Amino acid sequence: MTEAVVRNKPGMASVKEMPLLQDGPPPGGFPPVRFARRIPTTGPSAVAIFLTAFGAFAWGMYQVGKGNKIRRELKEEKYAARSAIVPMLQAEEDERFVKEWKKYLEEEARIMKDVPGWKVGENVYNSGKWMPPATGELRPEVW
């Protein structure tokens, strides 16, 4: 816009003669400026968060306890089953040992037949203390 249109006067005029055109507030004024810190109150409270976390922890510990009980029962069942078959396994091992011991004594008698005073199967250590026989092969080279 030109100055002539604003003042409704043609040509140049003194600044003093110009009407004052100044921006002002709207009618009724500006709305108040919010300068205070206002934290929204939406969302769960601290107590609700704590109780939820505690509930989740308690439920998890309950599940761990249930799992421990099941695992303990399975372990007891496994031990009971193993202890039930131990006599049979021991009998099988004893039978195998006796067969192998007989083979061992026959081989010892064959090897030591020319040695005077040799008694087959006698303990050479003479400690007087009984030791249970070792399991597995008595002498791997004898077959």
Side-chain angles (χ1 to χ4, degrees):
M1 290 174 113
T2 63
E3 190 178 328
V5 174
V6 172
R7 291 183 295 137
N8 290 328
K9 291 185 180 179
M12 291 291 285
S14 166
V15 175
K16 293 180 181 176
E17 296 174 8
M18 289 178 62
L20 295 174
L21 292 175
Q22 184 175 358
D23 286 338
F30 289 108
V33 177
R34 288 181 50 186
F35 60 89
R37 180 173 184 220
R38 294 185 184 167
I39 300 173
T41 57
T42 59
S45 67
V47 172
I49 292 172
F50 175 77
L51 290 176
T52 302
F54 180 76
F57 174 77
W59 182 78
M61 292 309 291
Y62 170 73
Q63 294 295 339
V64 167
K66 270 185 14 182
N68 287 344
K69 190 179 291 186
I70 291 169
R71 192 167 51 248
R72 185 171 39 254
E73 289 170 358
L74 290 173
K75 188 186 287 187
E76 287 173 1
E77 181 182 350
K78 181 174 73 172
Y79 287 157
R82 287 183 178 178
S83 65
I85 65 171
V86 161
M88 185 179 72
L89 294 176
Q90 186 64 50
E92 288 178 356
E93 174 59 25
D94 291 345
E95 183 181 357
R96 186 205 61 81
F97 177 78
V98 167
K99 286 179 184 175
E100 194 169 324
W101 184 250
K102 286 180 182 177
K103 282 184 197 176
Y104 173 73
L105 292 178
E106 289 170 3
E107 186 68 18
E108 183 181 354
R110 187 185 62 79
I111 293 172
M112 303 300 285
K113 66 183 172 191
D114 297 330
V115 178
W118 184 263
K119 295 179 185 175
V120 176
E122 185 177 308
N123 189 354
V124 296
Y125 296 110
N126 298 320
S127 66
K129 183 177 179 183
W130 181 83
M131 295 294 291
T135 59
E137 296 181 13
L138 293 175
R139 294 186 51 188
E141 71 274 3
V142 177
W143 278 105

